Amino acid sequence: MTGMEGITSDAVPARRSSIGSGLKVWFARPTSKTLVMNLGILIALSVWLSFATSQFTTSQNITNVLGQVSFIGISACLVTPVMVAGGLDLSVGSIIAVAGVTAAKFVADAHWPLGWAFLMGALAGGVIGALNAFLIVGMRINPVITTLGTMYIGRGLANVVAGGSPVTGVPFSFNDLATSDVGPVPVPVAIFAVTALVMIFVERKTILGRWTVASGGNQEAARLSGIPINRTRVTLYILSGLAAGVAGILLNSRIATGDPNSGTGFEFDVIVAVVLGGTAITGGQGKIIGSIVGVLIVGVLNNGLNLLGVSTFYQYIVQGGVLIFAVGVDEVFRHTWRNILRRQRLERRHPSQARN
């Protein structure tokens, strides 16, 4: 007996068939298709820009792109679970301004130590996040209306705190946070990388990650299963505010001032990146890794348009087109995935009918 006699000639083909079917099912999933497609778009866009302009592949420009996307990426890593849970956060742009102005004010006028000033800036973002959570979860106001309102409130608060003009007189050390390096990596890029790794771990390995998906999927089933949907959403909105606060401190640190107009249009870049990364507007679907790829596409696209000398007006048209394209593709993939699941259920219940 060699131990191989019990293996039939059909065993290997059957296993290969099983692997092939598994790959087909994996690739049919909306998030998987979107991730593969976006990686292809990112590579193709980068290759095209490397030929279209010699400046794109320079080390200085690549560092600049990574530095620019890090601010969007830090916020996108926390906006993603908010949207997966069925919410939306349009206030991140104004939180950028509030956090930056707050930190600059405490440093320049109150002469607080940098660490405490930065902490106060981040907490200011968390407070607006908590306000969003109270209005959306507690008062049951639509997330779009709520965060649109807090976006205007935050922008007004930033101007009130700053006195209507940028906060100047900050020490050189205020600028060091965003312009210094950790080894060969700029500090904002390092913070973005750490934020992404932490959120990927939370998404895949923690109960908060599972609650997030359940909260944005079948809410009734999640509620009957004992999942604290409200508590999950409150936590996510606060974390989103804190993340936007950190991004705001870094962004204002980079320009060495507290600008109440900083972060204008920031929420659009974040949402485009998250949706482009495969997160469904309706919730229940989305991955941090997809949003990271979406952030890189947005950063490379914006950088490339600037290098090519494309007018800002046309850049808005391109960005709007990208958003519509991303949502359209997402809808097509989700429709395809629903059909696959429907057919699989039909095959299990009525095999002969499904084959016909």
Side-chain angles (χ1 to χ4, degrees), residues 7-79:
I7 299 179
T8 66
S9 59
D10 296 333
V12 173
R15 177 174 294 181
R16 288 177 180 171
S17 176
S18 176
I19 294 174
S21 300
L23 288 173
K24 288 180 179 179
V25 171
W26 178 86
F27 193 74
R29 294 173 181 171
T31 50
S32 303
K33 277 190 172 182
T34 303
L35 179 59
V36 172
M37 181 191 70
N38 285 345
L39 284 172
I41 291 174
L42 179 61
I43 293 171
L45 185 60
S46 300
V47 171
W48 175 68
L49 287 172
S50 66
F51 285 103
T53 170
S54 59
Q55 293 176 296
F56 179 76
T57 53
T58 62
S59 58
Q60 181 180 359
N61 185 65
I62 292 174
T63 302
N64 181 54
V65 171
L66 291 176
Q68 290 288 349
V69 302
S70 62
F71 309 118
I72 300 172
I74 291 169
S75 185
C77 285
L78 275 301
V79 170

